[in-house]
Amino acid sequence: MTYRKLILAGLLVATVGTGCKKNMDDLFSNPETFTTTKIEYLLPTAIEAVVRQEYVQAYNNSFRQLGPMLQLNASTIDPISGNVYNITSDRAEWSTYYLTRMLNVIGIQNYYNYKIDKSQQEEYKVYYHLSKVLGAYSSAQATDLFDDMPYSQGFDAQNSLYGQPVNYYPVYDDQKSIYYSILDDLKAAAEYLGTVTLQPTLYESHKSLAVQDILYKGNMAKWQKMANSLRLRYAMRISAVDPARAKQELDDLVGGNKPLITDNADNGALLQGGQAFTSAGGTLVRAFYEAINYQYAPKFIVDQMTQSGDPRLQVFYRRASDTTAIVGLPATFADRTFAVTKAAVLDTVTFVQNTKLPTGVTINAADVYFLLAEARQQNLISTGDAKTYYENGVKASISWYYSIYLNSPVAKKPGLTAQPDASVINTLLASSSYAFDPNKAMEQIALQKYLNTGFMEMGETYAEFRRLDLPKLPADIYEGQQRNATFPVRYWYPTSEAANNSDNFSKVAAKNNATTRVWWDVK
């Protein structure tokens, strides 16, 4: 990327001012009319940019690349023109991170550090730490794709706006350093957010936080839980390559009984409502709707859910009108011995036309339980037991997806109008293939992680699949060759890096391929 562009992008941050506090579009309708800003006006756009799954990225990367590759969905596109195992670019993720997702996150931090005086910093410290949580999540998503990246100097091209030294040629920080910084930021933020008392009668910015915070409506306890839960996630991410640091984080989080997201009411889900699934929309539901050739149910997931009696099957997929069962498409084209019209597709109520679908999810209760199950199974923590964590995760995931289904404005399926009965779930966990088995616990935990994150948290699905090398997916054979004997394990750097930041890029150029694993991926 051209880092000078960050200057131009940063001008949006520098010039947004006293427009409508509630409408993000109004903030940017005519930025040239503003000469000052308030930090609180940057928060809603920061949250949306970081958390929301944007349509183009979801359509191109989730449904047409990673989804079919990971057998989260099945496609009717032939294997030659639709080679999902061939990643040869950054797929626009690099510029999206630097120029979109992090723009107002860094804007908040720079305004806090350089544009307000010390007497105001106490008022705005809460916004500063919220931006740190958002930045940690966004940066982890990015480095999980690229490994080493410009991070400590990655946004210095904006510095002229704040009277600070400008750097157009940032160094690449190694992923270990990035992860350590992420973990430190999340810990500091959680500690502050767990003790802060908002003062709406004293500070207007505290009074308006319930409006500006479009994720948790100013609920600091929920932000604290999300920060701790993300730190749990990233501690487990590095647990194989850096067990000492992972154990340090886990001891503090679990041993210290820090609050985590263990209830779906606290999920990091961006609920904006009123989405359009037609061409007017720019969110995940439009990608679901338009990916017509990629909407088919994959045989791997259908078989797992059918064999176990998983009630999520009914809200994940819609069966073909002339069949009595949900049928999945095999990954191998030659195994598709029936008409594709008999294959099930992604459910209309839950996904394809659900205008109330969460536009993005950072982490949810099921994710947390499965992380705790893995940590206990690997003896990284001594609190609780893996079986209970695992079962709580399955229960939370079922409840989560049913709540998405039931909250949809689309007419419900006959006989499917409530959460599954507890007896159904208890039977599932006691006697089906989901019944916890210590001898294959990691395979079971990994499968449930995969089913839970799926499309809704695609970056997490891809990261955990690489880290755990699980679940084991069926072979995808074409013309006698297995196409998925290996998988791409990272994205490429954009070609602009070699041209615009050549000296620093040369130090990481040897990693610039889809086969060199990122730092934490040591299996």
Side-chain angles (χ1 to χ4, degrees):
M1 65 178 271
T2 302
Y3 290 91
R4 290 181 179 85
K5 290 181 180 178
L6 285 168
I7 289 270
L8 300 177
L11 288 174
L12 287 175
V13 177
T15 54
V16 172
T18 56
C20 173
K21 298 178 184 179
K22 296 183 180 180
N23 189 323
M24 288 180 286
D25 292 334
D26 289 350
L27 289 176
F28 292 92
S29 61
N30 187 13
E32 293 180 358
T33 65
F34 304 116
T35 57
T36 61
T37 190
K38 290 186 176 181
I39 288 176
E40 57 263 44
Y41 299 166
L42 303 180
L43 182 63
T45 43
I47 292 171
E48 183 175 48
V50 168
V51 179
R52 190 183 82 166
Q53 283 202 58
E54 195 270 333
Y55 158 72
V56 174
Q57 300 299 102
Y59 181 81
N60 288 328
N61 296 345
S62 294
F63 291 105
R64 299 176 66 193
Q65 182 89 53
L66 296 178
M69 182 179 78
L70 300 178
Q71 298 187 31
L72 291 167
N73 61 318
S75 166
T76 57
I77 304 299
D78 72 87
I80 299 302
S81 61
N83 187 355
V84 296
Y85 304 101
N86 187 29
I87 292 179
T88 59
S89 72
D90 72 312
R91 300 191 65 79
E93 289 288 354
W94 186 271
S95 60
T96 299
Y97 168 71
Y98 285 104
L99 299 179
T100 302
R101 294 190 183 121
M102 290 295 286
L103 175 60
N104 282 346
V105 170
I106 297 300
I108 290 171
Q109 294 168 18
N110 283 338
Y111 261 82
Y112 178 85
N113 287 321
Y114 307 124
K115 285 291 189 180
I116 61 176
D117 58 43
K118 297 296 183 183
S119 64
Q120 291 178 289
Q121 287 188 338
E122 184 61 32
E123 172 185 354
Y124 283 104
K125 188 176 290 186
V126 62
Y127 285 86
Y128 175 81
H129 282 292
L130 295 182
S131 78
K132 285 291 189 178
V133 177
L134 294 170
Y137 170 73
S138 182
S139 296
Q141 294 266 301
T143 189
D144 284 350
L145 294 176
F146 295 107
D147 199 27
D148 302 348
M149 297 179 70
Y151 181 72
S152 59
Q153 300 176 1
F155 304 93
D156 287 357
Q158 290 188 22
N159 281 356
S160 65
L161 299 169
Y162 309 99
Q164 302 300 309
V166 174
N167 179 11
Y168 295 133
Y169 308 104
V171 299
Y172 281 66
D173 296 271
D174 62 81
Q175 190 178 67
K176 178 179 179 178
S177 299
I178 297 172
Y179 255 83
Y180 276 26
S181 179
I182 287 170
L183 291 167
D184 289 343
D185 284 348
L186 289 170
K187 181 179 181 181
E191 289 175 349
Y192 175 80
L193 296 171
T195 59
V196 66
T197 299
L198 297 179
Q199 301 184 61
T201 59
L202 181 62
Y203 300 131
E204 182 65 28
S205 66
H206 288 198
K207 182 179 180 181
S208 68
L209 185 57
V211 174
Q212 309 298 348
D213 175 10
I214 61 174
L215 184 61
Y216 282 134
K217 312 305 180 190
N219 188 319
M220 295 298 99
K222 292 188 176 185
W223 274 99
Q224 182 195 21
K225 290 178 183 179
M226 186 173 84
N228 284 332
S229 299
L230 290 173
R231 185 155 68 106
L232 171 66
R233 169 184 285 173
Y234 302 135
M236 290 305 298
R237 187 86 89 236
I238 68 172
S239 59
V241 69
D242 195 343
R245 179 60 188 260
K247 189 70 164 55
Q248 173 188 327
E249 302 293 337
L250 293 168
D251 285 347
D252 181 67
L253 284 165
V254 182
N257 199 29
K258 300 296 173 63
L260 300 167
I261 294 174
T262 55
D263 188 297
N264 285 329
D266 297 333
N267 289 349
L270 187 56
L271 302 170
Q272 295 178 291
Q275 300 178 62
F277 55 80
T278 61
S279 59
T283 55
L284 181 61
V285 69
R286 179 185 169 195
F288 271 115
Y289 183 77
E290 291 189 355
I292 297 172
N293 293 319
Y294 297 86
Q295 288 183 3
Y296 294 94
K299 185 177 188 298
F300 174 69
I301 293 181
V302 170
D303 286 354
Q304 297 293 325
M305 290 186 167
T306 301
Q307 291 164 10
S308 65
D310 190 332
R312 286 173 295 187
L313 181 69
Q314 301 302 320
V315 296
F316 272 30
Y317 306 113
R318 174 171 55 86
R319 65 176 176 81
S321 58
D322 59 345
T323 62
T324 58
I326 291 175
V327 178
L329 278 182
T332 297
F333 264 56
D335 293 341
R336 298 177 179 182
T337 57
F338 54 88
V340 71
T341 55
K342 295 189 179 297
V345 294
L346 293 172
D347 190 63
T348 301
V349 184
T350 308
F351 300 117
V352 179
Q353 294 185 25
N354 184 0
T355 57
K356 293 184 178 180
L357 185 73
T359 57
V361 180
T362 57
I363 191 167
N364 62 36
D367 295 335
V368 170
Y369 280 124
F370 293 135
L371 289 165
L372 291 170
E374 180 192 353
R376 186 66 186 92
Q377 182 65 25
Q378 304 286 47
N379 290 317
L380 292 169
I381 60 174
S382 57
T383 303
D385 67 274
K387 179 176 183 289
T388 301
Y389 288 137
Y390 166 82
E391 291 180 345
N392 285 342
V394 175
K395 292 175 183 177
S397 182
I398 293 171
S399 176
W400 168 236
Y401 278 102
Y402 266 79
S403 69
I404 293 174
Y405 167 87
L406 294 170
N407 192 49
S408 171
V410 182
K412 308 303 181 286
K413 299 175 182 177
L416 199 64
T417 57
Q419 290 275 353
D421 189 80
S423 62
V424 173
I425 300 175
N426 290 336
T427 300
L428 173 77
L429 294 172
S431 58
S432 76
S433 58
Y434 287 3
F436 187 79
D437 181 349
N439 295 317
K440 55 180 182 180
M442 280 311 304
E443 288 84 352
Q444 291 181 309
I445 293 167
L447 174 63
Q448 293 303 325
K449 286 187 179 190
Y450 164 90
L451 295 176
N452 182 63
T453 54
F455 290 111
M456 300 303 294
E457 302 174 68
M458 181 59 84
E460 184 63 15
T461 307
Y462 183 42
E464 289 294 87
F465 179 78
R466 289 175 288 154
R467 180 174 74 89
L468 300 173
D469 293 321
L470 292 169
K472 297 298 183 184
L473 300 177
D476 181 355
I477 308 296
Y478 184 70
E479 295 185 346
Q481 299 295 317
Q482 183 175 347
R483 302 171 67 227
N484 63 345
T486 60
F487 292 86
V489 294
R490 53 162 287 159
Y491 281 17
W492 292 64
Y493 294 118
T495 55
S496 58
E497 281 297 285
N500 298 324
N501 194 17
S502 57
D503 288 348
N504 292 310
F505 174 75
S506 66
K507 297 178 177 64
V508 298
K511 299 182 178 183
N512 195 26
N513 54 69
T515 59
T516 299
R517 292 175 180 263
V518 301
W519 167 70
W520 51 252
D521 187 7
V522 295
K523 286 193 175 184

